[in-house]
Amino acid sequence: MITYFIMQVLPYIATTVFVIGLLYRLGRWARARIVHNITLTPAPTTEAGAILDIAKEATFFRSIFRSDRALWAGAWIMHMSLFLILAGHVLGIGLLGRQFAYIGLTSEETSEILSVLMGTFFGIVLLLSLLYLLYRRIRINEVRAISAPSDYILLLLLIGIVLAGNLMRFVPQWGIHYEPVRDYFVRLISFTPITSDMEVMHKPALIIHVFLVQLLMIVFPFSKLLHSAGMFAHRYIINRPYIEPAPGLPGVKDKEEAEEK
């Protein structure tokens, strides 16, 4: 009964909370008016320049690199590993591990082996980087002083997700092939009931992995993890082209409103 709830019911609950919560938080940011010019110089002078600057920050974490290179090393490696693993999950499950064969790099058999090896490598790297960030919160006084209980809980949740995923790779009997996982997601997307004879229903490590991911989806919009989206809004505020007077000031019309009239 619990397994059925985790694998059949909870995915829809988690997805609904995630989407609605995310839209709500992003909507609040979008409706907020920036009433002062706080552009930090040197700053881009065009919208395209501002977007390019944001892209550089999102890719290389330049501000963290300048202020704390030890933190930058752990944070950058963690985020890049996470991004590659998420991309690998989508491509690996969706294309059954044959993504490299479809672009002509290898045969299908070699592609599947390469997909597994890359997933295993970045799974280990992600786990080590998360453990490093947890170590910093515990051992460094300045970091521990500004850490809330939720910071530790979120890190432990991420570590649990990665541990469960890695166990499926290192313990063969706990692992599962791409096909049954894709069939499972196809059923979820098409609102087709999950049956008890499906392989995903008999893999405890996978069930734990899926359950923890769904917990993360539920808390994501209401936690500090939303910095992954908030970073773009924050960087735009401090890197947008300087406008005088600031369009958010009372009585000052936005550019779009002025053009409409």
Side-chain angles (χ1 to χ4, degrees):
M1 187 66 181
I2 295 178
T3 299
Y4 180 82
F5 175 78
I6 293 173
M7 302 299 284
Q8 176 72 79
V9 180
L10 192 55
Y12 298 115
I13 297 175
T15 301
T16 301
V17 173
F18 177 81
V19 172
I20 294 177
L22 194 60
L23 291 176
Y24 170 73
R25 293 295 300 275
L26 294 178
R28 289 189 61 185
W29 291 342
R31 291 192 301 269
R33 298 180 71 86
I34 306 168
V35 298
H36 298 290
N37 274 316
I38 59 173
T39 303
L40 301 181
T41 56
T45 57
T46 64
E47 291 287 343
I51 293 173
L52 179 60
D53 194 81
I54 294 170
K56 290 178 180 178
E57 178 67 26
T59 304
F60 301 108
F61 296 9
R62 296 184 303 172
S63 59
I64 300 178
F65 180 79
R66 297 189 191 105
S67 60
D68 189 338
R69 295 192 179 184
L71 172 61
W72 175 85
W76 188 83
I77 292 172
M78 187 275 284
H79 283 84
M80 291 302 107
S81 299
L82 179 59
F83 172 78
L84 291 171
I85 286 175
L86 290 175
H89 274 55
V90 173
L91 294 175
I93 295 173
L95 301 176
L96 301 178
R98 300 166 187 164
Q99 59 270 27
F100 300 109
Y102 288 135
I103 59 177
L105 293 180
T106 65
S107 64
E108 290 187 357
E109 294 77 11
T110 304
S111 178
E112 292 180 32
I113 294 172
L114 186 58
S115 180
V116 171
L117 288 177
M118 290 184 66
T120 302
F121 173 77
F122 286 110
I124 295 172
V125 172
L126 178 57
L127 178 60
L128 293 176
S129 62
L130 287 168
L131 291 173
Y132 170 71
L133 294 175
L134 179 62
Y135 169 82
R136 281 178 52 85
R137 288 200 177 275
I138 295 173
R139 297 294 299 175
I140 299 178
N141 293 332
E142 294 82 359
V143 180
R144 186 169 64 249
I146 62 173
S147 296
S150 59
D151 296 322
Y152 297 100
I153 293 173
L154 290 172
L155 270 175
L156 290 174
L157 180 57
L158 286 167
I159 290 171
I161 292 171
V162 178
L163 271 176
N166 285 346
L167 283 174
M168 286 190 287
R169 295 185 181 277
F170 287 105
V171 184
Q173 60 268 32
W174 292 357
I176 188 169
H177 294 291
Y178 290 119
E179 289 88 345
V181 177
R182 188 174 73 171
D183 292 342
Y184 166 69
F185 281 109
V186 168
R187 282 176 176 261
L188 285 180
I189 295 171
S190 61
F191 298 98
T192 304
I194 307 300
T195 58
S196 59
D197 61 328
M198 295 181 67
E199 188 176 352
V200 295
M201 301 292 282
H202 304 280
K203 294 292 183 177
L206 174 65
I207 295 169
I208 293 172
H209 185 68
V210 170
F211 174 67
L212 294 178
V213 169
Q214 292 171 147
L215 286 183
L216 184 67
M217 291 174 63
I218 291 172
V219 303
F220 183 92
F222 315 102
S223 70
K224 291 182 180 179
L225 294 174
L226 198 59
H227 73 268
S228 56
M231 184 274 296
F232 293 96
H234 170 254
R235 297 303 303 185
Y236 179 74
I237 291 172
I238 64 177
N239 289 100
R240 64 178 181 163
Y242 186 88
I243 301 172
E244 185 62 47
L249 286 172
V252 176
K253 297 177 181 179
D254 289 338
K255 182 180 178 181
E256 292 79 3
E257 293 176 358
E259 290 177 349
E260 288 178 1
K261 296 183 178 181

